[in-house]
Amino acid sequence: MTDRQFTFPTAEKLKSRKLIQQLFAQGKSAHVPLLTCHFLIDPAPLPVPLQAGVGASSRQFKKATDRNRIKRLLREAYRHNKYELLKMLTNQGQTMVLFFIYTGKELPTLQQVENAVQLILQQLQRRISTTKPS
């Protein structure tokens, strides 16, 4: 794989408030220790097959620096592990939006976050493979 594959361009960042509301209202979720992922398959037309966002609870992590670190770790882990899911969506002609929420109680290491993201993405791949494209 080339370095170009491990990018997280602006077009892939979930920023649309309307789409985020739709995701939480109509989407489903997957859970692993430390992480919850809300997802919606085939929402309104997207410029790219996969968009993602990340978040951390301000109730659990009072300091903004801690929340920002968690979000950086989530984005980095997602960036390194998204390609199998992206390839599957592209092959099936589907689109998907994701939102990762860190649910752990302690500040994580990159390895812990990476393992959680890998497990979530594997769950999503299994769900997509059982879903028929429309």
Side-chain angles (χ1 to χ4, degrees):
M1 288 190 209
T2 63
D3 287 339
R4 256 178 103 35
Q5 290 180 320
F6 294 112
T7 61
F8 191 31
T10 303
E12 290 184 8
K13 294 179 181 166
L14 180 59
K15 294 181 179 183
S16 166
R17 187 170 289 205
K18 194 179 214 180
L19 198 52
I20 292 170
Q21 287 175 344
Q22 181 185 2
L23 169 65
F24 283 100
Q26 301 170 1
K28 298 178 181 171
S29 61
H31 308 277
V32 295
L34 302 182
L35 199 60
T36 296
C37 178
H38 294 273
F39 66 96
L40 182 60
I41 299 172
D42 285 330
L46 296 174
V48 292
L50 185 60
Q51 285 190 340
V54 297
S57 170
S58 58
R59 185 175 291 180
Q60 189 65 43
F61 297 96
K62 301 294 185 197
K63 294 181 180 177
T65 54
D66 292 342
R67 291 191 303 276
N68 291 340
R69 175 164 175 73
I70 291 167
K71 291 187 288 186
R72 270 197 313 274
L73 292 173
L74 283 169
R75 280 191 293 268
E76 184 71 4
Y78 168 74
R79 184 178 73 87
H80 279 125
N81 294 291
K82 70 179 178 176
Y83 286 95
E84 290 300 318
L85 180 62
L86 184 60
K87 189 167 50 172
M88 184 180 281
L89 287 169
T90 305
N91 290 341
Q92 293 186 3
Q94 293 180 308
T95 58
M96 179 184 265
V97 290
L98 307 170
F99 199 90
F100 296 99
I101 300 174
Y102 182 75
T103 56
K105 307 270 188 241
E106 305 282 325
L107 276 175
T109 64
L110 177 59
Q111 190 59 49
Q112 290 172 321
V113 173
E114 187 122 10
N115 291 340
V117 168
Q118 286 172 351
L119 289 172
I120 286 273
L121 293 178
Q122 288 168 3
Q123 283 183 18
L124 293 176
Q125 287 173 5
R126 283 194 297 274
R127 288 193 186 190
I128 289 173
S129 64
T130 60
T131 305
K132 301 262 192 257
S134 52

